[in-house]
Amino acid sequence: MYTSHEDIGYDFEDDPKDKKTLKPHPNIDGGWAWMMVLSSFFVHILIMGSQMALGVLNVEWLEEFHQSRGLTAWVSSLSMGVTLIVGPFIGLFINTCGCRQTAIIGGLLNSLGWVLSAYAANVHYLFITFGVAAGFGSGMAYLPAVVMVGRYFQKRRALAQGLSTTGTGFGTFLMTVLLKYLCAEYGWRNAMFIQGAVSLNLCVCGALMRPLSPGTDGDDPEGKEPHVLPAHSTESIGSSGQLGGAEEKGGGPGTEDSLGDVPAQACHEKAAHRKDMCAFRVLKTVSRLTMRIRKGFRDWYLGYFGTASLFTNRMFVAFIFWALFAYSSFVIPFIHLPEIVNLYNLSEQNDVFPLTSIIAIVHIFGKVILGVVADLPCISVWNVFLMTNFTLVLSIFILPLMHTYAGLAVICALIGFSSGYFSLMPVVTEDLVGIEHLANAYGIIICANGISALLGPPFAGWIYDITQKYDFSFYICGLLYMVGILFLLIQPCIQIIGQSRKKYIDGANV
């Protein structure tokens, strides 16, 4: 959906034989491409990092509004879920306006959501201002950051994506410390107001998303303004038409009177010409905008609803099912760990070095190390992906058994490292559907992750409201996560059995 010949880093030039030849773009894998990595890195800090640090604000909201944990958790989960769920629909804005404009608008909307949330009178108000408004703005800034890195890199795409997504870990660590400090010094309302101002930096990140070529990213393909004919002056009128005829006559009766009417007639014609050109410009602009919207909607529709072959790929369908349960197991600890620490009377130790910060820091190293290991020629990406998933599930099961800070810190480190498989998801998705369907397929996976992030934290809160323990929340989420992994393991076996059966039947018929 997002990929064109400009997007993948090649420009078309006319040769002397009027044939189309490919020329590598100078910024591919170098030059401004690293500015895209830097921009995407800060987008991950400001968006994903802030969302992973919402556990700090969740504690403040529980104390302020005195609502159930399940209801309060909806605020954080809405923000996370909406950010990812709207991913496929943000493609419509990208196709119509381009990545740069989409990211800038998203930064403004995200900042507005933070600021309006500072005046919340109840949790339901936060659902709209923070969950929906700020979440939608986050989605508008997040997806262009991922897409632009993919457009600017070919050979080093995995490295570039890995470096940019480490912003999530750095952001979680930094934003957790920042929000804790702001809430302690100024209160949570002023903290959200200040965070809204900080989020305006998303607009700066969006401004750095320069398209590869003039025709890319929704700009005018020709890169030129419409040519406007110059307005006629009194001299040009005098050299032709009625004025010229009057001069050629050289003097007869009424010549001086006609000359006296020329300035007024010229001004009238000039004003009329300007009105016509203004109307022409408006019509041309409206026509271009209409065509751009229609083309953007057509590309978006064909990109998602025209690729029915994606859903005939059973392995990809199993991958979607896995994504529906996987992300919640990573999100739930970030949202509920600060309160779990309070329940275990470990607040003093956690204030020195928060457990969520441990997850964030180790998560950075996990992404880099797992990316390097997966690139080794003797290692299968799928094996690394599945092993880290099993490690994460095991950590989720063990977490409720730990009641000391040291034990929780070890498990959080395992969660942070094993969750580094997120950097492998684009590679795994490409193996399943091919490079031509990667953008569409990954958008669907992100949407499934968004549903998981949307439902996971409230579910954990509701389980606590019923049982007065978080233990069952982790056990149930771990079981569902395990079911998703089993789908990934069983589906290849089913395919092998089906292929063997088909070969047997074909051999018997021969």
Side-chain angles (χ1 to χ4, degrees), residues 24 45 62 71 91 93 139 243 251 256 272 294 316 326 361 419 428 488:
I45 288 178
L62 285 171
L71 183 65
F93 290 92
L243 180 54
E256 295 181 359
R294 291 179 62 185
F316 179 69
I361 294 173
S419 60
V428 174
L488 292 179

Side-chain angles (χ1 to χ4, degrees), residues 273-506:
H273 181 74
R274 286 180 176 175
K275 289 182 180 181
D276 292 341
M277 291 307 299
C278 182
F280 173 76
R281 286 181 177 178
V282 171
L283 290 175
K284 192 169 185 178
T285 301
V286 172
S287 177
R288 283 183 175 180
L289 182 60
T290 303
M291 291 179 63
R292 182 182 296 180
I293 293 175
R294 291 179 62 185
K295 182 180 181 301
F297 182 79
R298 183 178 66 252
D299 293 343
W300 172 80
Y301 181 84
L302 293 176
Y304 282 103
F305 300 100
T307 56
S309 59
L310 286 177
F311 297 98
T312 59
N313 185 337
R314 294 182 179 180
M315 192 63 192
F316 179 69
V317 173
F319 196 49
I320 296 174
F321 188 81
W322 164 86
L324 286 172
F325 300 110
Y327 200 67
S328 62
S329 298
F330 178 66
V331 171
I332 288 175
F334 278 101
I335 301 301
H336 294 291
L337 261 181
E339 191 183 0
I340 292 175
V341 168
N342 292 336
L343 294 175
Y344 293 166
N345 297 320
L346 302 173
S347 301
E348 293 183 1
Q349 294 171 289
N350 189 66
D351 289 339
V352 176
F353 204 92
L355 293 174
T356 52
S357 297
I358 294 177
I359 298 177
I361 294 173
V362 181
H363 183 69
I364 297 171
F365 293 101
K367 283 188 173 181
V368 176
I369 294 174
L370 292 176
V372 172
V373 172
D375 282 338
L376 296 176
C378 58
I379 301 296
S380 170
V381 176
W382 265 101
N383 291 338
V384 176
F385 182 77
L386 290 174
M387 287 297 295
T388 52
N389 272 270
F390 275 117
T391 304
L392 183 56
V393 169
L394 183 63
S395 302
I396 294 298
F397 279 123
I398 296 176
L399 181 64
L401 303 178
M402 298 297 168
H403 297 278
T404 64
Y405 180 83
L408 289 173
V410 172
I411 297 302
C412 287
L414 283 175
I415 293 175
F417 184 85
S418 57
S419 60
Y421 72 78
F422 290 140
S423 62
L424 304 179
M425 286 177 58
V427 181
V428 174
T429 307
E430 181 180 340
D431 288 344
L432 291 177
V433 301
I435 186 64
E436 66 276 7
H437 296 301
L438 176 60
N440 301 326
Y442 196 61
I444 296 171
I445 296 300
I446 287 177
C447 183
N449 281 335
I451 296 174
S452 180
L454 179 67
L455 300 179
F459 175 78
W462 288 332
I463 295 296
Y464 179 88
D465 292 334
I466 296 173
T467 63
Q468 296 300 308
K469 289 184 178 181
Y470 279 107
D471 299 10
F472 296 102
S473 303
F474 288 102
Y475 291 147
I476 295 175
C477 288
L479 285 174
L480 294 175
Y481 191 6
M482 180 63 73
V483 171
I485 297 175
L486 291 177
F487 262 83
L488 292 179
L489 293 174
I490 294 173
Q491 191 58 45
C493 299
I494 296 176
Q495 289 182 347
I496 293 173
I497 294 173
Q499 292 174 359
S500 301
R501 182 181 179 186
K502 183 178 180 181
K503 289 181 180 179
Y504 176 79
I505 294 175
D506 292 341

